Each structure stands twice: as C-alpha cells, then as structure tokens.
Amino acid sequence: MDRKIFRLAIPNIISNITVPLIGLANIGIAGHLDSAKYIGAMSLGVTIFNMIYWNFSFLRMSTSGFTSQALGARNLTEATSVLLRSVIVSVSLGVLIILLQYPIGQFAFRFILSGEEIKGYVEAYFRICVWGAPAVLTMYAFNGWFLGMQNAKTPMFIAIFNNILNIGLNFTFVFGLGMDIEGIALGTLLSQIITLAVTVTVWSLKYGRLKKYLRYADLWNKVALRSFFKVNADVFVRTFLLTIVTGFFTFASSSMGDTLLAVNALLMEFFMLFSYFMDGFAYAGEALTGKFVGAGDRKNLKAMIRRLFFWGFLVNLVAVIAYSFFPGELISLLTDKAEVIRVAKSYTFWTVLIPITGFAAFLWDGVFIGATLSKEMRNTMIFASMMFFACYFIAVPLLGNNGLWLSFILYLGMRAFVQTVIARKRLKLI
C-alpha cells in the first residue's frame, strides 16, 4: 500500500512544491523592487485570482473523483466522457470570466484598503492575468483527469515545465526588460497559455487511443450529468467559503498598514508551502480512494487511509521543526526589507501551528473527493468558516493581528476535527 501511495504522492509533491515556488519567486521578485508596496500588491493581486480560480477548483476535484471511480469500475467510456464534460465547462467558465472582468475587478478592488498606489499596481496585474482564465480552468480539468487515471507523473512534468517557464519569463520581463508588476503579470499569462497547448499535445500522444471509447450519447447522459453538477455544486460552496476565508485574511491585513500587509503576505507563504506539500499525499489518497470505491474494495480503502495518515503525520512533523527553528532564514529568502523581517519574526509562532492544526484536514479532503462525499465537505467548510468569522470579530479588536492569526488557526483546527468525526461515521457505509 505504501508503494501505491508514494507512486502517486511523490510526483504530486514535486509538482505541488513547484506551484508555491512561483508564488515565492514572484514575491521575491516584488520584494527586491524599489518599494515594499510591490510585495503587498503582489499578495493582493494573487489573492484576487485565488478567490476566482479556487472557486472553480471543483473542476479538478470532481473530474478526479469521477474519473478514478470510472477507472476502478473499468468503464473507460465514462472516464473519457468525464474529461470532455469538464473541458467544455472549463472553457465556458473561463470565457465568462473574461467577459465579466470589469465588474469582477471593480468588486474586488473595493476591498483593498491600502493606498491608491498599491491599488494601481493590483489593477495592472489583474487586467493582464485575467486573459489566462480559460487556460487555467482547462488545466484544472486535465490535471484532475490525469490524477483520476492514476497518472501523477504527467501532471508533474507539466507543472515543472509551467513553473520554470513562468519564473523565467517573469525574470526576463522584470530584470531584463525593466518592467515591474506588469512584467510579472505578462510572464504569468504567457506561461498559462503555452502550458495548456503543451498539455493538449501530451494528452493526444499518450491517451489519444481513448477517443474510440467516447460515446456522445453517454456524454450527455442525464444521470451522469446530474451527479456531475450536484457534486460540483457542493464543492463550489465548499471552495467558495475557503476563498472567502483566505481572501478575507489578506484584505483584513491591508487595513493594518503596509508593513503588516507585507508581513502577513510573507507568512501566508509558509501556509501555502505546507498545503501544497501535504496536498501531494491528499491527491494520492484522492486517486486511490476513488479507485477503491469504484471497485467496491473496502478493505484496501481502510488500509490506504491508515497509511496515508501515517505519512501525513511525518510530513507535519518536518514542517513543525522547520518553522520552529528556521523562520528567520525562510523569511529572509523572500525579502531584504529589514523592517518587514523584524516584524514578521514576532508572528512566526502562528506559522508553527499551521501544520499541527491543519494537516488532517488536507488528507481528509483527498479522501472525501475520491469518494465524492461532496455534501460532507460542504458542511464541514460551512461550520469552520462560521467559527473563523465569529473568532475574528471577537479577537481582532482585542488582539489585533494576533487575533487574525488566531481566527485562521481555529478555522484549520475545526476543519480537521469535524472531518475526522464525519469520516469515522460516513466511511463505514462505503
């Protein structure tokens, strides 16, 4: 079982680690420009797109869950149909975002409480990157499908290609051509479009033979479509609340001044680094859970979950040690601003609590997605989000930025606790 987990987890860990490296590199590029305001602007710009794209991450999750279950049941016709359904929906939603970019942008900019200069940087970043929406959402569908087919290596190589290309283009535009935040945005956009073209080519070469299994009558099967959109609706609500919490965290930071905005942006990279690393195991659990559920193999499902949490705990332990003993070194990699580094060190205690309180939530997410337990994921997030905002409005007036971090840590802990309770009861029915 460990071999099956690591065969999927290691490629996903490698590809996932390269994702925050883009954020770290972009923050690092912004942190070495002539003003600390670029750090805050980058954080706000990325947060806006996170709030947009994360809401559509159901495209990856549902595609992975349905594909892995179809594979477990050895139904290649349905597995192929799942990809085409997801691609059609992804492209349609991406085009819709482009058409609605002005009202979306104006709505998001209203929540930025920093000065006009930072708002201007954020708007410039948004107006360029928004054109990559169809490519980004379509990549969600392909990545979910690859994972559902128990193939983690192809997404890994594609992710590495995308991230190296992104970082290379950003360095070229900013330091080679003298551009600032617009150069970062342009590099990001071009890498998204090029990577999608490469992905489609790779799929055609590796899986083109599956076209013979596609039945257009099955593509629009009412039962399959109803299940597809029901799960997507539940996961959308879950992900929408997740983006509300993380987005609110950043926008709330913008009301505390430019320095604390930059500090919280840097420290949240600790969370992103841990989450993408832990998601490598969650994705493995996602693919294997779907396969075992589709095959009706309850024995291996339970064995896999036990081993998944064993390895997840070890990853959690490594993160706790790194964040406890090397916070200053990690922060210094992201910025050379002495004041930002000094203030950030006083809040690193909270980053140590991130892996402790949250690692189980990441792993349960993978299991729930693979089993398409979308309703349970939705309800868990509703409860945890309510706890976050209740704590925020009580703690922040009393504790300031510490209260904001306390609210976030409570939110992570509640997700893990509720999911554990649900899993102990619900998974017995599988």
Side-chain angles (χ1 to χ4, degrees):
M1 187 59 69
D2 286 345
R3 184 178 302 172
K4 292 180 180 179
I5 291 174
F6 276 96
R7 181 173 60 84
L8 293 166
I10 291 177
N12 277 310
I13 288 173
I14 294 173
S15 59
N16 285 342
I17 286 178
T18 64
V19 173
L21 285 179
I22 289 184
L24 292 172
N26 288 346
I27 289 286
I29 292 172
H32 288 83
L33 292 174
D34 57 8
S35 172
K37 292 181 179 180
Y38 285 108
I39 300 176
M42 271 299 307
S43 174
L44 290 168
V46 170
T47 297
I48 290 173
F49 282 105
N50 285 344
M51 293 184 70
I52 294 172
Y53 293 145
W54 285 357
N55 283 316
F56 297 107
S57 63
F58 62 78
L59 294 166
R60 187 203 66 77
M61 296 179 186
S62 63
T63 302
S64 173
F66 284 120
T67 302
S68 59
Q69 289 185 21
L71 181 65
R74 300 185 178 182
N75 186 346
L76 293 180
T77 295
E78 178 58 19
T80 309
S81 296
V82 169
L83 175 62
L84 189 52
R85 289 188 199 112
S86 296
V87 168
I88 292 172
V89 173
S90 299
V91 173
S92 301
L93 290 173
V95 172
L96 184 62
I97 290 173
I98 291 177
L99 294 176
L100 297 177
Q101 63 175 284
Y102 182 78
I104 291 173
Q106 292 304 306
F107 176 77
F109 302 151
R110 290 179 182 178
F111 293 92
I112 299 176
L113 303 179
S114 303
E116 291 299 319
E117 187 175 4
I118 287 183
K119 286 185 179 180
Y121 295 147
V122 174
E123 183 170 0
Y125 181 87
F126 176 84
R127 296 304 178 196
I128 294 173
C129 284
V130 72
W131 290 92
V136 172
L137 298 187
T138 303
M139 284 302 302
Y140 282 1
F142 274 102
N143 286 337
W145 190 84
F146 285 134
L147 183 59
M149 294 294 288
Q150 314 296 296
N151 177 2
K153 289 184 179 180
T154 297
M156 176 189 72
F157 288 120
I158 291 174
I160 292 173
F161 169 79
N162 174 63
N163 297 328
I164 292 176
L165 178 64
N166 192 340
I167 292 172
L169 289 173
N170 289 350
F171 267 92
T172 300
F173 289 134
V174 173
F175 297 116
L177 300 180
M179 302 175 70
D180 45 46
I181 201 166
E182 293 181 343
I184 298 175
L186 183 59
T188 299
L189 171 63
L190 290 178
S191 67
Q192 291 166 348
I193 296 172
I194 295 171
T195 299
L196 176 60
V198 170
T199 301
V200 173
T201 302
V202 170
W203 185 90
S204 296
L205 294 174
K206 191 175 182 64
Y207 293 102
R209 67 187 186 279
L210 295 181
K211 293 178 182 178
K212 65 183 180 182
Y213 291 102
L214 186 61
R215 304 287 185 271
Y216 288 97
D218 293 328
L219 180 63
W220 306 113
N221 179 277
K222 291 183 179 179
V223 175
L225 284 174
R226 187 180 302 112
S227 180
F228 180 79
F229 284 108
K230 178 182 180 299
V231 169
N232 283 340
D234 288 335
V235 178
F236 174 81
V237 172
R238 171 258 183 195
T239 310
F240 177 74
L241 291 173
L242 186 153
T243 59
I244 289 295
V245 170
T246 54
F248 184 87
F249 182 97
T250 301
F251 287 119
S253 300
S254 70
S255 68
M256 298 178 180
D258 292 343
T259 298
L260 279 181
L261 172 60
V263 165
N264 285 352
L266 295 176
L267 295 183
M268 278 299 285
E269 291 299 324
F270 285 38
F271 168 70
M272 297 305 297
L273 180 62
F274 172 75
S275 68
Y276 282 115
F277 200 94
M278 185 61 70
D279 272 344
F281 283 94
Y283 289 178
E286 183 179 319
L288 291 171
T289 296
K291 184 178 179 180
F292 292 142
V293 169
D297 190 348
R298 181 178 177 183
K299 179 180 178 181
N300 275 322
L301 173 63
K302 289 189 172 183
M304 183 276 297
I305 291 175
R306 285 194 296 268
R307 298 307 296 171
L308 187 70
F309 271 80
F310 170 76
W311 292 111
F313 176 78
L314 292 185
V315 172
N316 164 63
L317 185 61
V318 171
V320 169
I321 293 173
Y323 293 172
S324 297
F325 294 100
F326 306 104
E329 290 80 359
L330 292 172
I331 295 170
S332 297
L333 290 174
L334 303 179
T335 184
D336 57 0
K337 302 296 183 292
E339 176 65 10
V340 174
I341 295 174
R342 182 188 66 79
V343 176
K345 287 181 178 180
S346 64
Y347 292 101
T348 54
F349 166 75
W350 297 109
T351 63
V352 177
L353 294 179
I354 287 174
I356 295 174
T357 58
F359 89 96
F362 291 103
L363 299 182
W364 282 129
D365 276 352
V367 173
F368 282 20
I369 291 166
T372 56
L373 298 178
S374 57
K375 179 180 177 181
E376 288 77 3
M377 291 181 66
R378 180 198 66 194
N379 292 344
T380 296
M381 189 60 70
I382 290 173
F383 177 78
S385 300
M386 290 173 61
M387 294 298 295
F388 170 82
F389 286 105
C391 183
Y392 171 83
F393 288 112
I394 295 174
V396 170
L398 298 175
L399 303 174
N401 197 41
N402 282 310
L404 180 59
W405 277 102
L406 174 62
S407 303
F408 188 72
I409 294 301
L410 177 64
Y411 154 80
L412 291 177
M414 285 297 101
R415 279 180 60 194
F417 174 75
V418 175
Q419 283 176 307
T420 301
V421 172
I422 292 175
R424 287 175 62 88
K425 297 181 178 180
R426 183 66 177 86
L427 289 178
K428 293 180 181 180
L429 301 177
I430 295 176

